[in-house]
């Protein structure tokens, strides 16, 4: 192809590179950015938790905006949300955005921040994976679009749920 006497070579984009992984499981895209969102959650509104919450939001917004292959979609979050996903408005809003095709990838701090109910977390991860939407858990270095991630995910999610239940029982016993 030529334009005003200059030869132009078009190199098609065949896979997207998230900067986190280059996987054969990741869908092909046209020449567009990957829509990336972050999910943050803290379990209380204490001063320490508020500081963690603000740090998480700032960290992920900067991380996403710095990657030239990513389009920052937003930070979705919940405070004092409990065990079940249904009680987390921020997560439910994020999942709606995913279903509408507005989010391609989610980044979050850890599996325990994503959810503390193993069944809920696994069902959400599987549903998103079927839509070819990945979740990257930074602390565990787990990407749900890789083949070996589900086993690791279930182990970590189970540990997070057990820890949450232990803390809850300790608090009840203390009262």
């Amino acid at each position: 192809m030529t334009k005003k006497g200059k030869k132009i070579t078009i190199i098609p984009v065949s896979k997207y590179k998230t900067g986190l992984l280059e996987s054969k499981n990741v869908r092909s895209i046209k020449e567009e950015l990957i829509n990336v969102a972050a999910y943050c959650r803290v379990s209380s509104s204490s001063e320490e938790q508020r500081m963690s919450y603000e740090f998480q939001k700032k960290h992920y917004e900067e991380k996403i905006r710095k990657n030239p292959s990513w389009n920052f979609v937003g930070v979705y979050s919940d405070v004092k949300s409990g065990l079940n996903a249904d009680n987390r408005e921020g997560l439910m809003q994020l999942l709606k955005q995913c279903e509408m095709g507005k989010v391609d990838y989610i980044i979050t701090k850890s599996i325990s921040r994503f959810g503390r109910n193993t069944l809920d977390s696994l069902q959400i991860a599987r549903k998103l994976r079927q839509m070819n939407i990945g979740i990257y858990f930074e602390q565990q270095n787990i990407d749900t679009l890789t083949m070996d991630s589900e086993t690791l995910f279930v182990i970590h999610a189970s540990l997070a749920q057990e820890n949450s239940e232990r803390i809850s029982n300790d608090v009840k016993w203390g009262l």
Side-chain angles (χ1 to χ4, degrees), residues 48-63:
E48 183 180 296
Q49 292 283 294
R50 271 199 313 260
M51 289 174 58
S52 172
Y53 174 72
E54 291 302 323
F55 175 79
Q56 285 179 58
K57 285 174 38 180
K58 182 179 178 186
H59 168 75
Y60 287 114
E61 182 172 351
E62 287 176 3
K63 182 178 187 102

Side-chain angles (χ1 to χ4, degrees), residues 111 118 122 126 149-159:
I111 291 172
T118 305
L122 185 58
R126 283 178 175 168
S149 67
E150 188 165 298
T151 303
L152 288 171
F153 179 82
V154 169
I155 291 167
H156 284 283
S158 297
L159 290 171

Side-chain angles (χ1 to χ4, degrees), residues 123-141:
Q123 287 174 335
I124 291 168
R126 283 178 175 168
K127 180 180 179 178
L128 291 173
R129 187 174 177 164
Q130 286 176 342
M131 294 186 291
N132 213 16
I133 298 170
I135 309 167
Y136 179 70
F137 301 97
E138 196 169 41
Q139 204 168 57
Q140 291 86 14
N141 192 29

Side-chain angles (χ1 to χ4, degrees), residues 5-151:
K6 294 184 180 181
K7 186 176 180 181
I8 299 172
T9 304
I10 298 174
I11 304 171
V13 176
S14 60
K15 300 281 180 195
Y16 58 64
K17 296 177 184 178
T18 65
L20 302 172
L21 113 127
E22 293 181 41
S23 169
K24 293 178 182 171
N25 298 329
V26 180
R27 71 171 186 256
S28 296
I29 62 166
K30 297 175 186 157
E31 296 177 15
E32 51 190 62
L33 297 175
I34 302 162
N35 293 320
V36 180
Y39 178 70
C40 303
R41 186 184 69 79
V42 292
S43 13
S44 76
S45 56
S46 71
E47 181 63 28
E48 183 180 296
Q49 292 283 294
R50 271 199 313 260
M51 289 174 58
S52 172
Y53 174 72
E54 291 302 323
F55 175 79
Q56 285 179 58
K57 285 174 38 180
K58 182 179 178 186
H59 168 75
Y60 287 114
E61 182 172 351
E62 287 176 3
K63 182 178 187 102
I64 295 167
R65 288 188 188 279
K66 283 182 182 177
N67 189 317
S69 301
W70 293 351
N71 178 46
F72 176 71
V73 176
V75 176
Y76 297 81
S77 56
D78 289 297
V79 177
K80 292 176 66 171
S81 54
L83 278 177
N84 295 325
D86 294 338
N87 297 332
R88 295 186 277 148
E89 292 179 23
L91 180 61
M92 293 296 106
Q93 185 180 17
L94 173 57
L95 295 176
K96 280 184 183 177
Q97 295 298 305
C98 290
E99 289 170 356
M100 293 177 0
K102 295 184 178 183
V103 176
D104 300 314
Y105 212 81
I106 300 168
I107 301 176
T108 191
K109 179 180 176 184
S110 68
I111 291 172
S112 67
R113 294 294 91 201
F114 186 73
R116 291 189 176 173
N117 179 306
T118 305
L119 184 58
D120 276 355
S121 298
L122 185 58
Q123 287 174 335
I124 291 168
R126 283 178 175 168
K127 180 180 179 178
L128 291 173
R129 187 174 177 164
Q130 286 176 342
M131 294 186 291
N132 213 16
I133 298 170
I135 309 167
Y136 179 70
F137 301 97
E138 196 169 41
Q139 204 168 57
Q140 291 86 14
N141 192 29
I142 293 175
D143 185 315
T144 59
L145 291 179
T146 62
M147 294 304 286
D148 60 347
S149 67
E150 188 165 298
T151 303

